[in-house]
Amino acid sequence: WIVLEGDDAGRAVSLLRKAAELAPNALEIQYHLGAALLKAGDRKGARAQLERILAHEQEFPSRSEARALLARM
């Protein structure tokens, strides 16, 4: 997430993909991956990622941000 905020979206996507694979139920990490995909220009991948995590009823700290990000796409 820090890498993404430092404007290295490509590297952030790579790191977050690995983290997401290691922690598939960590929706916060999954949200960060969706945001990184969007910033890297992968709108289709970002939309799919955000829709998938928002389909879960499990709460996570950035749920409202994920919903807002999806709405802006």
Side-chain angles (χ1 to χ4, degrees), residues 30-51:
Q30 303 296 328
Y31 159 67
H32 288 171
L33 175 57
L37 288 167
L38 182 60
K39 192 166 185 179
D42 183 359
R43 292 180 62 82
K44 184 177 178 182
R47 177 176 295 281
Q49 181 73 7
L50 293 170
E51 287 175 346

Side-chain angles (χ1 to χ4, degrees), residues 49-57 60 63 66-67 70:
Q49 181 73 7
L50 293 170
E51 287 175 346
R52 188 180 62 76
I53 63 171
L54 290 171
H56 288 273
E57 291 190 20
F60 59 98
R63 180 179 272 289
R67 206 175 292 125
L70 183 60

Side-chain angles (χ1 to χ4, degrees), residues 12-31:
V13 167
S14 177
L15 292 170
L16 287 165
R17 277 192 200 279
K18 289 177 187 174
E21 288 173 14
L22 293 172
N25 296 321
L27 297 182
E28 188 73 9
I29 293 172
Q30 303 296 328
Y31 159 67

Side-chain angles (χ1 to χ4, degrees), residues 1-9 11-12 15:
W1 192 238
I2 292 170
V3 173
L4 182 63
E5 291 176 348
D7 287 333
D8 192 349
R11 182 166 179 249
L15 292 170

